[in-house]
Amino acid sequence: MARLAHVGNAGPVTTPQNLDERFRNAVSALPLPEGRRAPGDAVRDGTTLTGARALELFDAQLASRHLDLAARWLRSFNEGFYTIGSSGHEGNAAVAAALLPTDPALLHYRSAAFFSARAKSLPDAARDVLRGVVASAHEPIAGGRHKVFGSADLNIVPTTSTVGSHLPRAVGLAFALARPGADGRWPRDAIAVASFGDASANHAAATAALNSAGWFEHTGVPLPLLLICEDNGLGISVPTPDGWLAAMLRSRPGLRYSAADGCDLTATYDAAIEAVGYVRRERRPAVLHLSTVRLMGHAGADAEVAYRTADEINRDLERDPLIATARLLVEAGLLGPEEVIGRYDEVGWQVRKVAEEVLGEPKLANVAEVVAPLAPRRPLRAAHKITEVATRALGPGAAARSRAFGGKLPEQTGPLTLAQTINATLTDALAYEPGALVFGEDVGRKGGVYGVTKHLQERFGDERVFDTLLDETTILGLALGAGLDGLLPVPEIQYLAYLHNAEDQLRGEAATMSFFSSGAYRNPMVVRVAGLAYQQAFGGHFHNDNSVAVLRDIPGLVLAVPSRPSDAAPMLRSCLASAASDGSVCVFLEPIALYHTRDLYQQGDNEWLAPYSGPGAWTTEHVPIGRARTYPLGNAQDLTIITYGNGLRMSLRVAAQLAEQGYGSRVVDLRWLNPLPVNDLVREAGATGRVLIVDETRRSGGVGEGVLAALVDGGFVGAARRIASADSLIPLGPAAQHVLVGEDAITQGARALLAR
């Protein structure tokens, strides 16, 4: 029995030195093999694992263990910044061996052995991992921004998820891989694989993924997805109840369940070969449940003695997969005990040598280097993309466009509402972007709750316009996976309030992908969201939601709010072009109350309608991301009103009344809430010296706070006043008027400023 270090009388704690010593003692005690098997033979009767493959996987397991030891060594003198290790999970090397190198993988953070097995080259794998540990700017996937397992060359998609939030993306990726006729990033016979821990399986995102995978299987939709649950029985300090994972995973309809001892290389390999074969052959989802152990605690600072007994720690040590594989190789006659230890030391020497080499590599040096891959925005490329599509629509695609619209082009039908304009723009997008997909709740046969997607499914079929199950996490997960595979997803979130239970798919997954892959992987998408307030007939806080703070707080995310039909089409085309050319993550927030609005100043004036522009005008009417629009009224010299969404219509009405009384205003429609059009705001504010901010979001955390900060940072020194909605949820019926901004409040605010 190897020694365990003791901390007072609290009990044992496993250290890197203990683990190393235990391995040496256990291997040295193994009896010499009675005979030897040829490398091409199975290492054990009844398994498909050959000796040659077992030796390869043992090297990957050794590399994984020594990477953990090196990370702890680097941390001991403050040169390592990540110590969540893979010790006890080395069996996942066998999963890597069962897959094709072209199968995209989204990995659990205890996957060093998988990474090493797929990389094959020990020095390369060790350098990639340890560069992440020391936050080296030369790290090839995240560039020192985080320690992740990822590589574009190895088809390993980086994920920083600790709670399974990458699993909905995995479902979406499998969905994209199975699309007939699709020409994506990966071969069409590929399968998607994602690993996760037992504690993560309880998270809402994991539950959504497990549910949606079964839902797709139940409805006959192909889904080549293999989920690997690596169950070490612990979520940091909280034990997973015995039998819970097996019972939960077995009960999932539509998911084929299998299990194996993840500490036994042959059992894991055979189970993985069988599960991979099933998923690849049947194009159906499966989950492989591997029983593992966790050695050396959750991370470097974790003292297991605080929550585990000596017996519990010792039971895990007895199942050390490295010792189990060494025993397998010795019993098979492939190596003797001394050869095993020699191999262990050789790998350890190579890993330590790489660790010493990466120590001196440079770190990210400034803000510009850190944020460079976050959200690259190249407006000229986006403009060129729009011109390219317009040219195609005017030339060889003209006939197809006419067919898509049923021979009745929208530019020939007269002025359109906001909803009709968005519908026409989506039709054009589907006609000229073969990878464009429109999906969500009720968007297909019904055409959306407000008719915005009406007839799209009839025009383009249910493979490109389709209804999903009612789960926003799954909807965004489908978009995340489809975007990875080269498609252009346009998912719809039915109401803004419904986004909040799934917003981490945007914050933690979509916004981080380019950042943590140095642009090697992208999440192009335009998420359409029906939102904001002022609905008269259908209210309450679930359908009248004015909270956008969480979206404005996501680095790199584009947040567009079209108010008028004349802006909606060019803004939506800008979002689509930016997503296609730059991989942008865009949220297109559509004011529900303005969907069918026709009038501006008086009933029947049709001033809120606008004609739809044909392809010949798309280039000249292009609206770059982050540019505001100004409406001058009267002499436009007395007051600047800054607003957006429903506030634009109300502000224009108030400004018209002020103009009749001799006061000139310039009403600025922000249009883009992220990034804010700062230069336009400062210029228009300075033109009058008086600024009224009309903000339909809440006073605390609302858009108006950002506008005020932008004006101060930009040097504005005039008078400013803010009108915002109350810090309240929006009640049902007429009571909503008490908490929302109204024209009377705007008028009072304007007069107070004009009186100064």
Side-chain angles (χ1 to χ4, degrees):
M1 176 69 66
R3 292 193 302 273
L4 289 171
H6 284 74
V7 180
N9 296 318
V13 55
T14 309
T15 68
Q17 293 76 20
N18 300 144
L19 209 57
D20 175 82
E21 183 179 344
R22 180 183 176 84
F23 177 81
R24 294 177 186 280
N25 291 344
V27 173
S28 297
L30 293 173
L32 293 172
E34 297 179 0
R36 287 189 175 263
R37 298 194 185 209
D41 294 341
V43 293
R44 183 184 290 163
D45 293 342
T47 183
T48 58
L49 181 65
T50 65
R53 178 54 64 88
L55 289 169
E56 291 176 6
L57 297 182
F58 185 51
D59 284 345
Q61 291 182 309
L62 292 174
S64 177
R65 178 63 55 85
H66 281 292
L67 285 168
D68 283 359
L69 300 181
R72 303 292 178 110
W73 173 69
L74 289 163
R75 183 73 190 108
S76 69
F77 51 94
N78 296 321
E79 289 291 347
F81 308 101
Y82 193 92
T83 54
I84 295 179
S86 301
S87 295
H89 284 248
E90 290 92 350
N92 56 41
V95 178
L99 295 160
L100 294 176
T102 50
D103 290 328
L106 295 86
L107 298 179
H108 184 245
Y109 54 33
R110 302 193 190 276
S111 299
F114 184 111
F115 188 86
S116 299
R118 184 167 278 195
K120 297 188 181 297
S121 167
L122 170 59
D124 290 344
R127 187 166 287 104
D128 285 357
V129 173
L130 291 174
R131 278 175 164 166
V133 169
V134 301
S136 166
H138 292 168
E139 195 270 332
I141 188 69
R145 294 170 184 85
H146 196 44
K147 157 64 179 64
V148 295
F149 290 116
S151 169
D153 292 339
L154 300 178
N155 295 297
I156 297 175
V157 180
T159 173
T160 62
S161 167
T162 60
V163 287
S165 64
H166 61 299
L167 299 185
R169 180 201 295 278
V171 173
L173 179 53
F175 177 85
L177 289 172
R179 282 179 53 77
D183 183 18
R185 181 171 188 150
W186 288 282
R188 293 303 95 180
D189 65 345
I191 71 171
V193 61
S195 57
F196 60 103
D198 51 297
S200 299
N202 299 299
H203 193 266
T207 299
L210 293 167
N211 180 72
S212 61
W215 188 88
F216 281 119
E217 159 66 11
H218 185 77
T219 55
V221 175
L223 199 75
L225 173 67
L226 177 60
L227 298 172
I228 309 292
C229 180
E230 298 182 24
D231 179 3
N232 62 32
L234 287 164
I236 305 183
S237 67
V238 180
T240 297
D242 290 342
W244 163 245
L245 260 296
M248 186 270 286
L249 294 173
R250 283 180 185 275
S251 69
R252 288 289 175 181
L255 276 178
R256 185 179 186 271
Y257 174 87
S258 59
D261 181 355
C263 297
D264 182 332
L265 191 67
T266 59
T268 302
Y269 182 76
D270 290 341
I273 285 288
E274 197 277 334
V276 167
Y278 168 82
V279 174
R280 197 180 309 280
R281 180 179 63 254
E282 301 294 332
R283 317 305 281 169
R284 299 165 75 180
V287 59
L288 174 58
H289 181 197
L290 299 178
S291 172
T292 66
V293 294
R294 190 190 72 187
L295 306 178
M296 294 195 294
H298 175 71
D302 180 33
E304 288 186 288
V305 295
Y307 55 87
R308 302 191 77 196
T309 67
D311 286 344
E312 290 171 336
I313 294 173
N314 277 318
R315 280 198 297 271
D316 279 0
L317 285 167
E318 292 293 336
R319 294 185 62 211
D320 186 341
L322 219 60
I323 296 175
T325 303
R327 185 183 299 114
L328 172 71
L329 295 173
V330 171
E331 290 176 351
L334 290 162
L335 295 175
E338 291 186 1
E339 292 174 293
V340 169
I341 293 176
R343 208 172 183 114
Y344 174 85
D345 285 339
E346 172 63 22
V347 171
W349 177 84
Q350 292 186 55
V351 171
R352 176 63 68 91
K353 181 174 181 290
V354 171
E356 293 171 349
E357 290 172 354
V358 302
L359 269 175
E361 292 187 348
K363 308 296 191 286
L364 293 167
N366 51 55
V367 172
E369 287 188 8
V370 172
V371 304
L374 180 61
R377 192 158 297 122
R378 292 161 287 196
L380 291 179
R381 284 189 62 173
H384 177 74
K385 174 72 174 176
I386 292 171
T387 299
E388 176 187 294
V389 173
T391 301
R392 198 159 63 244
L394 288 168
R401 181 169 186 262
S402 179
R403 287 194 298 272
F405 283 104
K408 191 175 183 180
L409 298 175
E411 58 266 34
Q412 299 171 351
T413 60
L416 305 181
T417 63
L418 180 66
Q420 292 168 332
T421 299
I422 294 171
N423 177 277
T425 310
L426 290 172
T427 301
D428 272 323
L430 288 161
Y432 297 110
E433 287 288 351
L437 305 175
V438 173
F439 54 90
E441 301 167 8
D442 299 308
V443 304
R445 294 178 64 182
K446 184 174 181 177
V449 173
Y450 297 96
V452 180
T453 56
K454 191 175 181 180
H455 302 308
L456 294 185
Q457 190 175 78
E458 300 168 27
R459 294 165 177 168
F460 299 99
D462 58 10
E463 287 184 358
R464 299 191 63 199
V465 181
F466 54 90
D467 295 317
T468 66
L469 68 171
L470 272 65
D471 175 52
E472 284 70 29
T473 296
T474 294
I475 292 170
L476 294 177
L478 287 175
L480 288 164
L484 273 184
D485 199 33
L487 297 171
L488 182 56
V490 187
E492 178 186 293
I493 302 298
Q494 196 167 83
Y495 289 100
L496 177 59
Y498 298 176
L499 174 67
H500 300 312
N501 60 32
E503 59 203 14
D504 187 54
Q505 291 295 296
L506 293 178
R507 184 200 64 82
E509 292 292 323
T512 64
M513 180 54 67
S514 183
F515 186 72
F516 289 132
S517 71
S518 300
Y521 292 102
R522 313 185 314 168
N523 289 306
M525 66 173 71
V526 180
V527 185
R528 292 183 45 253
V529 183
L532 301 177
Y534 299 97
Q535 291 190 83
Q536 297 300 311
F538 190 43
H541 71 283
F542 275 116
H543 304 103
N544 274 342
D545 185 12
N546 61 344
S547 176
V548 301
V550 70
L551 294 172
R552 293 194 63 245
D553 188 53
I554 298 175
L557 180 140
V558 174
L559 177 55
V561 181
S563 302
R564 307 191 73 166
S566 56
D567 280 331
M571 288 176 67
L572 182 51
R573 280 194 287 269
S574 290
C575 287
L576 291 165
S578 185
S581 61
D582 291 332
S584 299
V585 178
C586 302
V587 173
F588 199 72
L589 181 58
E590 302 164 6
I592 298 172
L594 299 177
Y595 268 149
H596 305 298
T597 297
R598 307 179 67 87
D599 307 322
L600 174 55
Y601 299 116
Q602 56 188 357
Q603 187 173 355
D605 67 13
N606 287 337
E607 287 288 330
W608 205 254
L609 304 179
Y612 186 80
S613 296
W618 290 354
T619 299
T620 56
E621 294 182 0
H622 171 55
V623 174
I625 289 173
R627 293 302 307 272
R629 179 177 180 179
T630 299
Y631 296 86
L633 286 90
N635 63 20
Q637 299 300 309
D638 300 314
L639 176 67
T640 299
I641 302 177
I642 298 175
T643 188
Y644 61 94
N646 295 285
L648 176 64
R649 184 171 181 272
M650 292 187 290
S651 296
L652 287 172
R653 289 167 59 88
V654 170
Q657 295 171 6
L658 293 174
E660 291 177 356
Q661 299 164 17
Y663 297 107
S665 306
R666 49 185 67 205
V667 179
V668 181
D669 181 7
L670 293 172
R671 301 196 293 194
W672 309 93
L673 303 188
N674 200 27
L676 282 173
V678 174
N679 292 336
D680 295 337
L681 299 185
V682 173
R683 183 191 65 248
E684 297 298 334
T688 67
R690 297 187 186 95
V691 173
L692 178 65
I693 301 167
V694 178
D695 178 13
E696 65 178 284
T697 59
R698 299 167 192 164
R699 177 164 291 275
S700 299
V703 175
E705 291 181 342
V707 173
L708 276 174
L711 292 175
V712 171
D713 290 345
F716 176 69
V717 293
R721 189 180 182 92
R722 179 165 59 117
I723 305 295
S725 295
D727 289 341
S728 169
L729 297 175
I730 300 172
L732 188 67
Q737 299 173 14
H738 300 310
V739 300
L740 294 174
V741 170
E743 290 183 28
D744 288 346
I746 299 172
T747 301
Q748 292 171 15
R751 291 194 177 282
L753 279 170
L754 291 168
R756 297 183 64 166

